[in-house]
Amino acid sequence: MLTLAIRYSIEPQHADEALRLSEERYALAVNGANDGIWDWDLRGGDVYYSERWHKILGFDDQLPATINTWTDRIHDDDKADFNRELEAHLAGNSSHFSHEYRIRTKSSEFIWVLSRGIAVTDHDGQCVRMAGSITDISPRKRAEEQLIHDALHDHLTGLPNRNLMIDRLGHAIERIRDSDREMHTIEFAVLFLDLDRFKNITDSLGHSIGDVLLNLIASKLGEITRPGDTVARLGGDEFAILLSDVNSLSEVTHFADRVLAECAMPVKIKSHEICTTVSIGIALGTEQYTSSHEVLRDSDLAMYWAKSEGKDCYQIFDREMHSRVVKQQRLELELRQAVEKKEFVINYQPIVSLTSKSMVGFEALIRWNHPLRGLVGPNEFISTAEETGLIVPLGWWTLLEACKQAKQWQQDFSSEQPLSISVNISGKLFNHPDMMTNLRRILRETRLPPSSLRLEITESVLLDHAEESVAKLDEMRNLGVGLHVDDFGTGYSSLSYLQKFNYDTLKIDRSFVNQMVNNNGSSAIVQSIIALGKLLHMNIIAEGVENREQLERLKKLGCPQVQGYLFSKPLDTNTATRLLASPIQYSSTYVM
């Protein structure tokens, strides 16, 4: 009996102590959490808001413990969705409440937050209480919005890029289909602009002067266009203007004359007075067009006609201009013969690890060994190969030769981490029905471990057939092949797609790396991509590293791997082999 009496006298003390410890742990968790905590008494109406909840909204003092303290601060555009999600959960239609929205802070600014919560019911199934958290997700939202903006806008001028122009052209074509106007009526026009002798300017005065000139041209075009029109930079010194709601040909030609006059006016950049002109090709938007690419193609053809007519003029596309495609057809014929005769070689550009201070692999880059012109770069024939389908046999050949060479190097130069090889895969090859069968065959024939192969795929290749792409990427991943997203930041880059496609590596496009030292925007983008890669446990490779300043900046930002002319231009097989035989020149000169 004595033992029992002692036990019963001690147990309440243990219970009190356990309760006290539990309360301390809860208080510490609430105070230490980055999230704000809320607890809503659905019957009484009172809401508890933690100190961190107040801090997120910028308040040091306590706010009234009512639900309106919270909901009245939600952005007007977000309230309906918020209420719908909340009511769905309280009605038992969702297992938990989770919603992203904007909320007003003490300083009247809006921040993005994520609220999570779960309702508690009584024995009758009625909701009596709901508790959850609020998290400030503004940095993530800003990064995502920046990536989306960058995917649709030119990094130099801030103008819409080709992707956004194609999208808006598509809407213009759809409006024609829905229009009741007569056949062959002009409803919009596209002006394709190319600066005359721009290369001479950059060669003589430098690329920085060229960049300033491009910005000045962009500003001029923006000033003379109407609200509702679109000015885009398509790349290099090419611009396009979409004139919407056009009523006559004379309206278009009058505008083209004005563009010619404005662009021909001399500009002063630093101590240089620069005179430049533009050549303009015009495609008139009628019901004959069914896609944005057709309009840009025809306006581009007309622009080349204007170039051939002496520059500083405009030409309107007509069907006779197709005779100008003869040269292109000749290229197609030569390319077909080149594929049959195997007139191609592969160059290899080293990929360097800034962590291990060593070369970890190569990127395989195809070149055309033309019998008359010598070594021809891919920019001159890849687009034609894509259009004609010749990219498929070229792609298989490149993949086979690159894997074969990588295996040979692995045998000749053993290392703790086997040398990897990266190969660009075109959309036609990736979507080929025998892609996986041929990939397995090539790996089997060359005996290259799948883990040593990296396939570089651009986002646009995957987005056209997203579901099929996910399945194929899963097959590649199960095989052990690495997956790189090429030219990251120049396409429709979103966090959702990064997670959906489950890449191994992001390759930062050279356009961002080239600008990162002199352009804070580009530097911030590079920093964001590196941070994003670390967050998603992905490798990062920065392309186009050409000088020490870029390298030092990338090292400070924690970029794991780099490639570019600072280390080496693309090398032929023999030169690359000699480089592997004496890799010390890389690490000691550039990385250490």
Side-chain angles (χ1 to χ4, degrees), residues 63-122:
L63 294 173
T66 66
I67 192 63
N68 288 343
T69 295
W70 177 4
T71 57
D72 286 351
R73 309 193 75 84
I74 296 175
H75 195 288
D76 289 341
D77 293 342
D78 298 342
K79 281 185 179 179
D81 288 341
F82 177 90
N83 290 332
R84 183 172 58 253
E85 293 293 327
L86 180 61
E87 290 168 4
H89 177 62
L90 293 176
N93 297 327
S94 62
S95 60
H96 64 281
F97 170 70
S98 179
H99 190 62
E100 296 178 0
Y101 57 94
R102 288 162 292 179
I103 192 166
R104 190 177 72 255
T105 65
K106 182 179 180 181
S107 61
S108 296
E109 295 180 285
F110 281 95
I111 61 171
W112 277 96
V113 295
L114 166 64
S115 283
R116 297 188 183 94
I118 191 166
V120 178
T121 60
D122 59 15

Side-chain angles (χ1 to χ4, degrees), residues 11 14 57 60-61 84 118 143 159 174 179 209 253 261 280 294 314 361 400 412 467 475 527-528 536 591:
E11 281 184 345
H14 285 173
L57 299 186
D60 293 324
D61 50 337
R84 183 172 58 253
I118 191 166
L159 292 174
E174 287 177 9
S179 173
I209 297 294
T253 56
I280 304 174
E294 291 176 355
Y314 65 79
L400 176 63
D412 295 343
E467 295 306 320
E475 282 191 78
Q527 184 175 6
S528 298
L536 298 177
V591 183

Side-chain angles (χ1 to χ4, degrees), residues 314-434:
Y314 65 79
Q315 290 290 327
I316 300 172
F317 176 82
D318 61 58
R319 295 302 168 186
E320 293 180 3
M321 286 186 181
H322 281 297
S323 60
R324 298 289 300 266
V325 184
V326 171
K327 181 180 178 181
Q328 183 72 11
Q329 291 175 335
R330 186 179 300 116
L331 174 62
E332 287 182 24
L333 178 60
E334 289 184 352
L335 197 55
R336 289 185 186 280
Q337 294 172 343
V339 172
E340 294 174 1
K341 296 177 181 178
K342 298 182 179 179
E343 295 176 352
F344 296 92
V345 296
I346 298 178
N347 280 184
Y348 299 91
Q349 186 170 43
I351 298 173
V352 178
S353 168
L354 298 183
T355 305
S356 64
K357 300 180 176 60
S358 63
M359 185 166 53
V360 294
F362 287 101
E363 179 179 357
L365 302 165
I366 192 169
R367 301 289 187 266
W368 181 3
N369 191 12
H370 195 282
L372 299 178
R373 299 168 58 194
L375 213 57
V376 178
N379 290 342
E380 295 192 38
F381 64 86
I382 286 294
S383 60
T384 302
E386 286 276 4
E387 292 171 6
T388 58
L390 292 171
I391 194 68
V392 173
L394 270 180
W396 293 135
W397 178 84
T398 303
L399 193 58
L400 176 63
E401 292 300 312
C403 290
K404 191 186 300 181
Q405 184 59 60
K407 180 61 179 179
Q408 185 64 53
W409 280 330
Q410 287 183 353
Q411 291 175 338
D412 295 343
F413 305 99
S414 61
S415 60
E416 185 175 338
Q417 182 66 35
L419 192 77
S420 68
I421 191 73
S422 299
V423 182
N424 287 280
I425 298 297
S426 81
K428 281 188 169 60
L429 198 68
F430 180 82
N431 294 311
H432 195 278
D434 295 331

Side-chain angles (χ1 to χ4, degrees), residues 550-571:
Q550 294 168 353
L551 177 63
E552 292 304 319
R553 183 71 59 88
L554 289 166
K555 288 169 67 176
K556 288 180 181 178
L557 293 176
C559 183
Q561 296 180 0
V562 293
Q563 68 181 98
Y565 275 37
L566 175 62
F567 301 93
S568 173
K569 64 180 182 180
L571 307 170

